[in-house]
Amino acid sequence: MTTKSLTELGELARSEKLAYKKCCNYVSETSNDDLKKTLGNLANGHKHRYETLCAYLDRN
């Protein structure tokens, strides 16, 4: 894998981490249960993608 590809994947991982943190922040700020559930699901997706990217980058 090229250095450029690894750099781009690292940037993508940072973006996923930021999106996860933002979703978690929004969950804590809302009182709407439906919105909390939706944001929680989105946060879980971002966290999963972040962890997957980090695991891949650790192997390369």
Side-chain angles (χ1 to χ4, degrees), residues 5-7 13 16-17 19-20 22 28 41 45 48-49 57:
S5 294
L6 289 173
T7 301
E16 289 293 345
K17 184 177 181 181
Y20 168 71
K22 285 184 176 184
S28 69
N41 289 338
H48 176 72
R49 285 186 292 278
L57 289 170

Side-chain angles (χ1 to χ4, degrees), residues 33-60:
D33 289 336
D34 290 334
L35 188 54
K36 279 185 186 233
K37 182 179 178 183
T38 300
L39 289 168
N41 289 338
L42 288 171
N44 289 338
H46 288 298
K47 182 179 180 184
H48 176 72
R49 285 186 292 278
Y50 170 72
E51 290 172 345
T52 301
L53 285 165
C54 286
Y56 180 81
L57 289 170
D58 286 344
R59 289 190 308 260
N60 290 296

Side-chain angles (χ1 to χ4, degrees), residues 13-39:
R14 284 187 292 280
S15 294
E16 289 293 345
K17 184 177 181 181
L18 178 60
Y20 168 71
K21 287 181 176 185
K22 285 184 176 184
C23 284
C24 289
N25 187 44
Y26 295 145
V27 166
S28 69
E29 291 181 359
T30 187
S31 58
N32 182 308
D33 289 336
D34 290 334
L35 188 54
K36 279 185 186 233
K37 182 179 178 183
T38 300
L39 289 168

